[in-house]
Amino acid sequence: MDLERLKEKFYLLVAPSLPNEWDVEDALGPLAESESACLDEIFAQIPAIWPVSHALCFAYLSAAGPALCYLALDELSLWVHTLLDRYETAGLHGAQLFMADVDQQFARPLRGQGCLRLADVRSRLQPYVNGLAGRELPLIAAVEAATDSEAIFLPGEVGVFAEQEENFLLYKLMVSFQWASLAAGVFIAPRFLALHRKSAHPLDCFFSEFPQPDHARRLFHLLETGRVLEFLRQELPGLMRSMAPLLPRLPLTGDEATEPNVLDWLQRGLLRGQWPADGHSPLTDRAMALMRHGAGLAADNAASLEAVRELMVLLPPEEDLATTRPLIFQGIFRLQEMRNLGMKQRMDKELRLMQATSISLPAVPKQADTDVHSGGGEGQGYDAALIMEMERAWDQLTPFMQSQAQQIGINEMPPPTGKPSQEHGPTQAVQETVSATEGRAGSAIARSPHAGGRKGEEMAEPVVYDEWDYRRKGFRKKWCVVSEKELPPVQNAFIEQTLKKYRGQIRRLRHQFELLQTGERFVRRQREGNDIDIDALVESRIDIAAGLPPSDRLFIRLTRDHRDIAVTFLVDMSNSTSGWVGQSIKEALVLICEAMEVLDDRYAIYGFSGMRRLRCEIFPVKRIDERYSKTVRQRISAIGPREYTRMAPAIRHMTSLFARVEAKIRLLIVLSDGKPEDYDDYKGDYAIEDTRHALLEAKAKGVHPFCITIDRQAHEYMAHMYGEVNYIFIDKIQRLPARMSEIYRTLTS
C-alpha cells in the first residue's frame, strides 16, 4: 500500500491527535510493502496502544512486521495485549525488550515452550508454599533463589528446559528447597557454636574461624543441600519423583576450563545420583563419604558443620572453590538479612512484653502514695506489696528492655534493692509507666479503621485494582489506587431541619418498613400444617380411586421468612453534585436511614470521588457493622462535592468489602448524577465500558447493583452499563428523597 495512504489511515485512527509527520513516516515506512490482510490486523491494534503511549505505538509499528514472522494473524492481538501489560509493569524499555525477541519472549511460551516468568506462575506457587509452611511466605523476584525466613526469593524467569511445564517443576523445586531449608534447620546454630560477634549470624561466626570463610560457607551449603534433598524425598516424594528425570539435566555450575574441584564432584554426585568413577583424591573421597553420611542420618546441621571442620583441614591452599556457583535450586545464603530480621522481631517482642508488663501493674490511690512517703499508715502494707511486684517485673526485663523503658520515660522504676527513690515514690513511677505506655498504645489505636483522625487522613492501607480497557479487551493491571479517607463529622442544623421537613413522611416510611420485617407465605403439600390442602386432598382421593398409592402430603403450613439482606449505598461526591443535587442526596440518605432503623437489614453508606487513577478516594459514612449514631448523621451532613467521577474503582472496592459479608441478598445502590468521568483520558466509551465491566464483576460475585440517577441524558448509556431493569431515572431532584425509599422497598420485598 502506498505510504501516503498508510499515513492517511493512521491519522484517522489517532484523531484528534496530530503526531509529528517524520515519526509517522519512520514507523510506517517498513510496512508499505506488507500484504493488505497483515496491514489491516496491524492497524486494528493502534486504537488500543495509542491512548496508552505514543512512543510505544511507534515502537509497535516498527516491530509488528518482523513479529508476524513468528505469529499468526489471529495471535497479533494477544501479543499486543501482553505488550501493554509489559509496558505497564516494566515501562517503555521493558516493552521494547519484549518486542525485540518475539520468538523467545512470546511465541515459544505461547506454545508451551521456552522461558517461564515468575509473574506468570506466582498465583500457582504462592498457595503451594503457604500450605507447606502453614503461614504466609511471600514469593519475591530476585537474581537468585534464597530465603530470609520471612520470604522466599526466586529468579524472575527460568528457561533451563525447553518445555514450560519442566521449567514450572524447577520453580516448584526451588520453592520447596527454600522451605525445606527452614524446616530442616539449615540456619539454626547448634549449642556448641560460640558467638564472636553479636551483630553477625552464628553461622557467619563459625565460617570466620577459617582462613578462607567463603570456602567454608560453600562447603557447608552444599553438604546441607544433600541433607535437604533427602528431607524432600521423605516429605514430598511425589515432587521428587517428578524431578528425578530432570535433575541430571540441570547444568553444572563449575568452570569447565579449569580442573574440577571438590564442589564440582559433590554437585555431580547430587545431580546424577552417582559419584564419578575417576579423578578421586583423599579430599573428594572423604567429602563424598561425609555427604552420604549427613544426607542419610543427620537430623540437623551439626554433622555438616563438623564435616566442614574436617574438610577445611584437607583442602589445599591453592584450591579455588569460587569458580563453582550454587545450583539453581540451591540459591544463596542471606544469613545477615536473616540475623537482622531476627533481631528486629526480638526487639518488637521485648517491647510488647515491656508494655504489657507496665500496663498490668495496678495504679495506686493517691492516699496510699502519701502513706508511703510518710512511712506509716494502713496503706503501707499495700504499697510494700506493690513495690515488690514492681521489682519483680523490672528484674524480668532484659537490659535491652530496661534501656527502651528509660527512652520512653520509664526511668523511675525502683532499684533492685527495693528502696524507693527519695524524689519519686514507686506509686508515681507506676503511674508514669502506665501513662507512657498508654500514650504509645493510644497512637496505635488511633490508626485503626474505626478511629478518628485528622481531616483527609487515610483510614486504611490503599488498595490497588485493575482497570478494564475495552480497546485491548483486557485489564490494565494494578492501575487504580483506592484510598479510604476520613469524612470529618460536621455539626450543623441540616439533620434537624431534614427530620422536621419530612417528619410525616418518615412516620409513614417506618410503618411501611415495619411490614417488611418478616414475610408470610403458605407452603402447600406438607405432611404437617395449619390447615388442609384441598387440592392435595382431591388428588389423593383420585389416586385411591385409580388404584394408586395416595400421597400423605395433605396440609398447608404458614411459613414466616426472615430477611437476610445487606445493602451498600454508594454516593457520588463529584463536583457536579453541588447545589440542590447534593442537598437532595443527603436528605434521601437521612430518610432511608431513619426508615431502615426499624428493619434488621444491614446497610452501609460510602461516598466516592477523586482525581486520576492514583487518587481514587472512598469516604466511609457508615460501615455495615456500625450503628446509625449521631456521628453517622454528622458525616451525612459532611457529604459534599469534591472532584471527579471515576466510578469503577469505587464499585470494585465495594465488591471486595461485600466479600466479607454473609447475606442471602447483597445490594449495591449507586446514587449518581452523571456518567463516569475523570480529569485524565477516563471519559466517553472507555469510562462507560470500564464501569460496565466492574458491574459485571460485582454480579459474578453475587452482588446485585442498581443505580438511581438524575442525569437528564441517562437513557443514552445507563441501559448499557446496568441493564434494562437495573436503574431508574429521576428527572426532578426534589422527588429523590421520597422515591429512594420506595425503590428500596421494591428491591427488597
Side-chain angles (χ1 to χ4, degrees):
M1 184 181 290
D2 181 73
L3 181 59
E4 291 301 320
R5 291 177 60 191
L6 283 180
K7 288 167 56 178
E8 181 181 349
K9 186 176 181 179
F10 176 80
Y11 281 119
L12 287 175
L13 288 173
V14 302
S17 299
L18 293 174
N20 187 296
E21 188 173 357
W22 294 341
D23 292 334
V24 176
E25 288 183 355
D26 289 343
L28 297 179
L31 297 175
E33 303 300 323
S34 300
E35 296 180 2
S36 177
C38 295
L39 285 174
D40 290 343
E41 190 63 31
I42 291 172
F43 272 68
Q45 312 305 320
I46 292 176
I49 306 174
W50 184 258
V52 176
S53 169
H54 298 179
L56 179 65
C57 189
F58 288 131
Y60 156 75
L61 290 172
S62 301
L68 288 176
C69 297
Y70 302 95
L71 303 174
L73 279 179
D74 58 352
E75 294 174 338
L76 187 64
S77 61
L78 185 59
W79 180 65
V80 169
H81 178 86
T82 310
L83 168 65
L84 291 170
D85 286 344
R86 190 64 62 90
Y87 172 77
E88 287 163 2
T89 56
L92 181 61
H93 180 66
Q96 289 170 335
L97 292 177
F98 174 77
M99 290 186 287
D101 192 352
V102 180
D103 185 39
Q104 288 291 336
Q105 293 286 339
F106 183 78
R108 296 186 65 193
L110 182 66
R111 296 165 178 79
Q113 303 170 343
C115 290
L116 192 63
R117 297 171 62 222
L118 176 61
D120 297 330
V121 298
R122 181 183 277 111
S123 60
R124 296 167 65 187
L125 291 175
Q126 190 66 69
Y128 168 76
V129 70
N130 291 350
L132 287 178
R135 61 188 176 98
E136 182 78 14
L137 272 179
L139 301 179
I140 300 174
V143 178
E144 295 183 88
T147 181
D148 64 356
S149 77
E150 289 297 316
I152 290 178
F153 301 88
L154 298 172
E157 63 180 28
V158 169
V160 175
F161 302 113
E163 300 297 325
Q164 283 195 331
E165 191 57 38
E166 294 177 341
N167 286 325
F168 176 74
L169 276 175
L170 182 54
Y171 256 132
K172 198 170 182 180
L173 177 63
M174 290 186 202
V175 169
S176 304
F177 185 90
Q178 299 305 320
W179 161 76
S181 297
L182 296 172
V186 171
F187 310 105
I188 296 176
R191 294 182 181 275
F192 64 81
L193 283 187
L195 295 181
H196 303 300
R197 303 190 307 273
K198 290 185 177 181
S199 60
H201 193 281
L203 291 178
D204 274 336
C205 295
F206 170 78
F207 301 139
S208 65
E209 296 177 2
F210 303 97
Q212 295 173 304
D214 185 59
H215 288 182
R217 181 182 291 103
R218 291 171 182 269
L219 277 171
F220 172 78
H221 197 183
L222 196 51
L223 290 168
E224 281 294 277
T225 297
R227 187 172 72 87
V228 172
L229 287 176
E230 187 60 33
F231 176 87
L232 285 172
R233 290 187 184 97
Q234 297 174 10
E235 296 294 325
L236 303 173
L239 171 65
M240 298 309 290
R241 279 196 300 270
S242 301
M243 283 300 304
L246 301 183
L247 285 177
R249 294 166 52 194
L250 287 175
L252 295 170
T253 60
D255 187 353
E256 296 181 0
T258 61
E259 185 178 349
N261 58 43
V262 62
L263 292 183
D264 296 330
W265 290 113
L266 293 177
Q267 283 189 356
R268 292 177 188 182
L270 279 176
L271 295 184
R272 273 51 173 181
Q274 57 184 9
W275 308 99
D278 56 347
H280 286 267
S281 68
L283 174 61
T284 57
D285 289 343
R286 186 58 184 155
M288 289 186 285
L290 290 171
M291 174 168 279
R292 287 196 192 97
H293 172 77
L297 301 177
D300 55 29
N301 60 9
S304 296
L305 292 169
E306 292 296 341
V308 170
R309 289 188 190 276
E310 184 175 344
L311 293 176
M312 287 300 291
V313 175
L314 299 175
L315 190 69
E318 67 276 6
E319 187 90 349
D320 185 12
L321 304 186
T323 58
T324 304
R325 295 289 303 161
L327 297 169
I328 186 170
F329 64 85
Q330 180 186 359
I332 59 174
F333 276 168
R334 291 191 174 219
L335 295 178
Q336 193 55 44
E337 293 180 26
M338 199 173 292
R339 173 70 175 175
N340 295 341
L341 188 61
M343 287 292 294
K344 180 179 181 299
Q345 291 173 343
R346 182 185 172 191
M347 291 166 62
D348 292 342
K349 183 178 179 181
E350 290 185 343
L351 276 173
R352 288 195 299 271
L353 177 61
M354 178 187 66
Q355 293 173 351
T357 304
S358 302
I359 291 176
S360 66
L361 296 179
V364 181
K366 186 175 181 180
Q367 181 61 38
D369 182 45
T370 306
D371 291 339
V372 170
H373 286 286
S374 63
E378 296 180 359
Q380 187 173 3
Y382 175 77
D383 286 329
L386 177 61
I387 293 171
M388 294 175 65
E389 171 115 13
M390 292 170 59
E391 289 177 358
R392 285 195 298 270
W394 184 260
D395 290 339
Q396 290 174 2
L397 303 180
T398 65
F400 165 77
M401 294 167 68
Q402 293 176 357
S403 65
Q404 293 296 314
Q406 293 173 355
Q407 289 180 18
I408 65 171
I410 312 175
N411 52 9
E412 296 297 339
M413 297 292 285
T417 59
K419 296 179 181 180
S421 169
Q422 297 299 321
E423 297 180 3
H424 299 280
T427 303
Q428 184 175 349
V430 172
Q431 293 177 348
E432 289 175 358
T433 301
V434 174
S435 299
T437 313
E438 285 178 346
R440 289 195 162 201
S443 62
I445 293 170
R447 290 191 295 271
S448 70
H450 291 275
R454 295 183 301 275
K455 182 177 181 180
E457 183 180 353
E458 290 189 8
M459 307 180 73
E461 289 294 325
V463 185
V464 182
Y465 293 99
D466 299 342
E467 184 170 275
W468 178 256
D469 186 346
Y470 79 101
R471 299 167 302 206
R472 70 169 88 166
K473 300 180 178 64
F475 285 103
R476 304 176 90 162
K477 301 295 181 61
K478 299 180 180 178
W479 195 249
C480 296
V481 179
V482 175
S483 303
E484 287 192 12
K485 296 293 186 71
E486 182 210 3
L487 192 62
V490 171
Q491 299 184 16
N492 56 22
F494 168 75
I495 297 294
E496 182 180 347
Q497 292 172 355
T498 302
L499 294 176
K500 183 178 180 180
K501 177 179 178 182
Y502 294 98
R503 61 178 179 269
Q505 189 170 340
I506 290 173
R507 282 197 299 269
R508 289 194 300 273
L509 286 174
R510 284 177 175 169
H511 176 69
Q512 293 168 353
F513 276 38
E514 284 175 354
L515 301 178
L516 297 176
Q517 283 186 315
T518 58
E520 296 181 349
R521 62 189 176 92
F522 287 108
V523 182
R524 299 181 177 275
R525 290 180 168 81
Q526 302 297 303
R527 288 191 174 92
E528 298 176 353
N530 307 92
D531 204 346
I532 296 174
D533 188 341
I534 300 298
D535 293 339
L537 180 61
V538 171
E539 290 179 7
S540 177
R541 298 298 298 174
I542 293 172
D543 289 340
I544 292 173
L548 300 175
S551 172
D552 60 348
R553 297 177 176 272
L554 306 175
F555 299 94
I556 295 175
R557 186 174 70 245
L558 182 64
T559 300
R560 289 180 172 83
D561 294 329
H562 292 278
R563 295 164 64 90
D564 185 13
I565 298 173
V567 61
T568 293
F569 297 97
L570 184 59
V571 182
D572 183 357
M573 291 173 55
S574 62
N575 191 46
S576 58
T577 61
S578 59
W580 283 106
V581 174
Q583 181 80 3
S584 296
I585 288 176
K586 293 197 294 183
E587 289 178 352
L589 289 174
V590 173
L591 263 65
I592 196 70
C593 288
E594 293 290 335
M596 288 187 67
E597 284 304 294
V598 303
L599 290 173
D600 292 330
D601 296 359
R602 291 164 290 167
Y603 68 102
I605 303 172
Y606 288 85
F608 74 96
S609 184
M611 179 182 285
R612 296 189 172 134
R613 65 184 182 91
L614 299 180
R615 211 182 83 198
C616 305
E617 296 175 342
I618 300 291
F619 302 93
V621 178
K622 179 189 177 299
R623 292 180 173 82
I624 205 156
D625 57 351
E626 191 175 1
R627 293 184 57 194
Y628 179 56
S629 61
K630 180 180 179 182
T631 302
V632 171
R633 295 187 185 97
Q634 291 173 350
R635 290 193 196 126
I636 294 175
S637 298
I639 293 175
R642 290 180 180 256
E643 292 166 306
Y644 289 87
T645 318
R646 203 179 195 109
M647 193 180 297
I651 293 171
R652 292 188 174 100
H653 190 64
M654 294 301 104
T655 304
S656 68
L657 294 181
F658 258 133
R660 311 168 195 170
V661 179
E662 292 292 336
K664 185 183 297 183
I665 298 176
R666 297 185 292 179
L667 284 174
L668 174 62
I669 299 179
V670 182
L671 285 85
S672 177
D673 73 323
K675 66 174 64 175
E677 192 173 72
D678 203 348
Y679 181 77
D680 49 18
D681 62 348
Y682 190 86
K683 54 178 66 74
D685 290 342
Y686 182 94
I688 290 173
E689 293 297 334
D690 179 39
T691 305
R692 179 175 181 269
H693 205 279
L695 292 166
L696 292 174
E697 295 167 32
K699 291 178 183 178
K701 295 180 180 178
V703 178
H704 304 282
F706 189 89
C707 183
I708 302 174
T709 181
I710 50 178
D711 184 0
R712 296 186 180 278
Q713 302 299 321
H715 59 277
E716 295 181 0
Y717 58 89
M718 292 299 293
H720 179 65
M721 283 200 307
Y722 285 89
E724 292 292 344
V725 296
N726 294 320
Y727 74 98
I728 191 168
F729 169 53
I730 297 178
D731 56 351
K732 294 182 178 179
I733 186 60
Q734 295 83 357
R735 300 176 58 191
L736 176 61
R739 291 296 306 278
M740 185 170 170
S741 302
E742 296 174 10
I743 293 165
Y744 181 78
R745 191 168 66 250
T746 303
L747 289 173
T748 59
S749 296

